[in-house]
Structure formats: structure tokens, C-alpha cells
Amino acid sequence: MTATPDLGTFQLASPDLLRSTFRRHAAGVAVITASGAAGPVGFTATSLTSVSAEPPLVSFGIGTGASSWPAVATSEHVGIHILGEHQSELAATFARSGADRFGAPTAWREGPEGVPVLDDVLAWLVCRIVARVPAGDHRIVLAEVLGGDPSGAGRPLLYHHGRFNGLRD
């Protein structure tokens, strides 16, 4: 018989356990944008994942209760923006419920396929949505990359322990 490892304060699965665990997971910060019936929409995401190189596919999660969900649910295209460490205020604006996300000081323009493209980001992509997969109170959106620009300067913005942070050397 092997010794049982100390399990510390084992908790049963719950939304709080999941949130507490993932606060310890450092993640890159992206803003997802789309064109909605009432204008541009967008939200901050840490769930962005590269899925496939051939064809080039990415995925991200969005809550079905999010204000951006109705536009993402019906849009054919989305913009994906990788934020730099100088953009913590932008990330906070797109994370805040009820914020005027596309008002000043947010700098943006209409990009390919009518997708809102944010200025001064590390990289951006325009993608065609190919699937919206139900996943609890969220949807996993699978999108094919059509084009973009990876040439922005700077270091990435990270999200860790409930705060936006830059990399440390």
C-alpha cells in the first residue's frame, strides 16, 4: 500500500474552486471584437487558444450572458487583438460591464470584413467563425484566421491573480 499524499484542503468542484484555481494561472490578454446591429462590440478574453496551423484556427470562450454574445452569436467574422503591457487600461475597459468600449480614448478603425480593429496592439487577426460549441454557460467559438498583422512592438499583457501585469525579466 502506498502512502496517501497530503491533499491539503480538498474542495469539491464549484464555480468558486474553478475561479480560485485559474486566478493562479497566468494568461495572455486579448480583446475580441465584432460588428453588431447597434455598432461594434468587444470583450476582454484570456481564453484565446491556437487550435490548428493547417488550416489556421483559433478558439475563445464567451459567456452567453455577456453583452457581446448576441453580436458574436450572429456575426460571420471577429477581430482578435493581442494586447501589450502598456494596454492594461484598454483591457480593463473591455472587461468592464456597461463601459463605452469604443468611445475615447479607445483608438480603432474598421478593418477587413467590417471587423473593428484596435490600434497599437501587439498583433491582430481577422477570423471567420466556423463553429459555436455549447459549453455550460459559455460557448467555445472556433474561428479560421483570414489575415492580420503580427508586427506591433512591445511585450505582452498578462492576467494573473485578478490583475493585469507585464512580464518580469
Side-chain angles (χ1 to χ4, degrees):
M1 179 182 253
T2 60
T4 303
D6 180 10
L7 297 178
T9 56
F10 176 79
Q11 299 175 34
L12 293 175
S14 70
D16 285 340
L17 173 63
L18 190 64
R19 286 186 199 102
S20 295
T21 299
F22 275 87
R23 278 189 196 108
R24 296 177 179 273
H25 174 70
V29 181
V31 168
I32 312 297
T33 61
S35 292
V41 301
F43 63 98
T44 300
T46 56
S47 60
L48 180 64
T49 303
S50 171
V51 174
S52 168
E54 189 57 45
L57 298 172
V58 297
S59 71
F60 60 88
I62 180 172
T64 56
S67 62
S68 296
W69 170 243
V72 173
T74 59
S75 291
E76 291 185 34
H77 299 91
V78 292
I80 296 176
H81 308 83
I82 307 300
L83 300 190
E85 64 185 358
H86 63 286
Q87 295 178 303
S88 59
E89 286 301 316
L90 183 68
T93 296
F94 276 84
R96 195 170 30 256
S97 180
D100 181 5
R101 296 172 178 157
F102 289 89
T106 301
W108 65 282
R109 64 197 178 285
E110 185 175 309
E113 305 297 338
V115 170
V117 174
L118 302 175
D119 289 350
D120 197 30
V121 294
L122 296 186
W124 59 269
L125 300 170
V126 172
C127 304
R128 181 179 60 83
I129 296 176
V130 296
R132 297 169 185 88
V133 181
D137 61 356
H138 278 61
R139 295 296 180 269
I140 304 302
V141 177
L142 188 64
E144 182 177 11
V145 176
L146 300 178
D149 181 357
S151 66
R155 294 160 47 118
L157 182 64
L158 300 178
Y159 186 76
H160 179 253
H161 249 297
R163 294 182 37 218
F164 296 112
N165 299 285
L167 286 174
R168 291 187 191 154
D169 289 329

